[in-house]
Amino acid sequence: MMMTAVEALTISAPILSFHTQPIPKSNNYRYSTLNCTENRMPINCKSSARESFYPIKASSSSFVAKNSEPMVPPYNVLITGSTKGIGYALAKEFLKAGDNVIICSRSEERVKSAVESLQMESRKQHVWGIKCDVRKGDDVKILVAFAQEQLKYIDIWAAMQINNAGSNAYSFKPLIEASDEDLIEVVSTNTLGLMICCREAINIMQKQSRGGHIFNIDGAGSDGRPTPRFAAYGATKCSVVHLTKSLQAELRMQDVKNVIVHNLSPGMVTTDLLMSGANTKQAKFFINVLAEPAEVVAQYLVPNIRYVPENGSGRPTYIRFLTGLKAYSQIFSRLAFGARRNRHVLED
């Protein structure tokens, strides 16, 4: 399950964990102004909700492979960690948009159940699932082979390395109380698993005439702020942003122009894992003010993700659901007008 921006529950307001990507300064480059969506409706805006990682030269054609095939919908989408929570919600929204979707998780039973539910909810059959442990390179290779067999190619790979709330490794406790097994579970899933997925995604996508887009899902700690009571988790999520930037740099150095790596920030999502931390007055306050159900977050993120290939852009982006401005606006509305009280949990 997704645990994102949870450190906001453990620190004093107004110090929160928001991603405010600095805009690099340069007189020789320009920056992309992209469309962003609100409630699934495109609007022109200059927003930190989706912005370019790096400056780009005035001629954007240099980012597109000369012999590339245009990427047009419906898209072929692969989502790891997608049998529940935000991953499942993303899969559902991609299906609604008419895309083809492959889901996976470590549990064959959960995969089967999720595929059946998605087919029933979307009334569409173009969704497939397979058991996969992203910590194992052979499993991920099998996942890629399965995707090629079903879809021939992968346009969008959303890499979500998440465990459920029942895992002891993802409970709220100080690092000194964490066992070796807990730490290995968190790091191997969120860091090693992400690296393996990115490696295999880049390897297959750069061979495709259509290329591909990789979206790495970040979470609490990814902006460098502390995450007490789940320090290991925060450390792995901080590594997501660094890994994404490093991969972008490697692809530029290798002159790979048809594979683009992006970051995706869902903000605070009301998963079982997040709600399990709602045991203090402060935690309940922030959950009610800032958190949203996975379905609401996915309805915002999917159109923005799909816009990237639709726009034909070869530029890395950072798509955020919960921006700093949006969060502070909601906090102000709560403090000034009592808005969003008791939305998800009853407050004292």
Side-chain angles (χ1 to χ4, degrees):
M1 304 294 285
M2 175 62 69
M3 177 167 64
T4 52
V6 185
E7 71 265 38
L9 309 179
T10 61
I11 55 180
S12 300
I15 303 177
L16 301 171
S17 173
F18 306 126
H19 305 287
T20 52
Q21 182 77 8
I23 299 178
K25 295 181 179 179
S26 173
N27 295 325
N28 300 323
Y29 296 91
R30 67 178 176 81
Y31 300 89
S32 60
T33 301
L34 301 176
N35 291 335
C36 65
T37 62
E38 184 68 34
N39 296 327
R40 298 179 64 86
M41 296 297 292
I43 56 174
N44 292 323
C45 62
K46 295 180 180 180
S47 169
S48 61
R50 182 172 63 214
E51 59 191 22
S52 197
F53 261 115
Y54 296 107
I56 56 175
K57 291 186 178 180
S59 177
S60 60
S61 60
S62 62
F63 284 84
V64 182
K66 294 181 180 180
N67 298 322
S68 64
E69 175 187 340
M71 189 181 294
V72 295
Y75 300 117
N76 295 340
V77 184
L78 189 156
I79 309 173
T80 60
S82 44
T83 57
K84 56 177 64 177
I86 184 65
Y88 181 91
L90 289 173
K92 185 177 178 180
E93 286 302 313
F94 277 115
L95 285 171
K96 285 182 179 179
D99 297 322
N100 306 303
V101 178
I102 288 181
I103 65 172
C104 67
S105 83
R106 299 179 197 175
S107 168
E108 186 172 354
E109 183 179 350
R110 287 204 304 267
V111 170
K112 181 180 179 180
S113 176
V115 168
E116 292 175 352
S117 296
L118 286 168
Q119 290 176 340
M120 184 177 300
E121 292 180 31
S122 65
R123 297 183 180 180
K124 297 176 181 178
Q125 299 298 312
H126 44 277
V127 53
W128 299 263
I130 185 173
K131 177 183 176 182
C132 177
D133 187 340
V134 296
R135 302 171 299 179
K136 301 177 180 179
D138 287 344
D139 270 27
V140 181
K141 286 182 172 65
I142 293 173
L143 171 65
V144 170
F146 177 79
Q148 288 180 301
E149 179 182 355
Q150 302 299 330
L151 305 176
K152 295 185 179 181
Y153 49 82
I154 305 169
D155 294 320
I156 297 170
W157 184 314
M160 308 182 62
Q161 316 327 325
I162 311 142
N163 261 35
N164 59 60
S167 170
N168 291 332
Y170 288 79
S171 59
F172 295 90
K173 58 186 174 183
L175 183 67
I176 60 173
E177 297 179 10
S179 66
D180 291 349
E181 291 75 17
D182 288 350
L183 299 178
I184 291 171
E185 169 73 10
V186 174
V187 175
S188 63
T189 302
N190 288 352
T191 302
L192 177 61
L194 180 62
M195 290 179 179
I196 292 174
C197 285
C198 286
R199 181 190 68 190
E200 297 304 320
I202 292 172
N203 185 48
I204 185 61
M205 286 179 173
Q206 66 181 346
K207 299 174 183 177
Q208 300 176 164
S209 59
R210 296 163 64 102
H213 295 269
I214 301 168
F215 290 85
N216 291 334
I217 316 297
D218 66 24
S222 57
D223 61 355
R225 292 188 183 274
T227 55
R229 294 202 299 158
F230 52 102
Y233 177 93
T236 62
K237 287 303 180 180
C238 189
S239 72
V240 172
V241 176
H242 179 87
L243 177 63
T244 300
K245 291 181 178 180
S246 295
L247 293 176
Q248 291 166 347
E250 286 183 1
L251 291 172
R252 290 199 308 273
M253 291 172 62
Q254 297 166 359
D255 200 31
V256 176
K257 300 175 182 178
N258 66 337
V259 181
I260 304 97
V261 187
H262 315 267
N263 258 130
L264 192 67
S265 177
M268 294 180 67
V269 184
T270 56
T271 60
D272 293 340
L273 185 56
L274 177 66
M275 303 306 287
S276 68
N279 50 15
T280 68
K281 181 177 180 180
Q282 186 181 50
K284 294 176 181 179
F285 173 88
F286 283 116
I287 286 176
N288 284 331
V289 173
L290 301 179
E292 296 291 350
E295 293 76 14
V296 173
V297 177
Q299 287 170 7
Y300 175 88
L301 292 179
V302 167
N304 277 278
I305 295 171
R306 298 182 85 252
Y307 177 84
V308 173
E310 286 175 5
N311 187 48
S313 173
R315 301 185 280 268
T317 58
Y318 202 155
I319 302 175
R320 301 175 176 87
F321 174 78
L322 182 63
T323 63
L325 179 60
K326 180 179 179 180
Y328 281 111
S329 174
Q330 290 175 186
I331 292 173
F332 174 80
S333 295
R334 168 57 187 275
L335 297 176
F337 309 110
R340 305 173 77 88
R341 181 183 296 274
N342 300 327
R343 294 176 68 240
H344 306 298
V345 292
L346 294 177
E347 300 178 51
D348 296 334

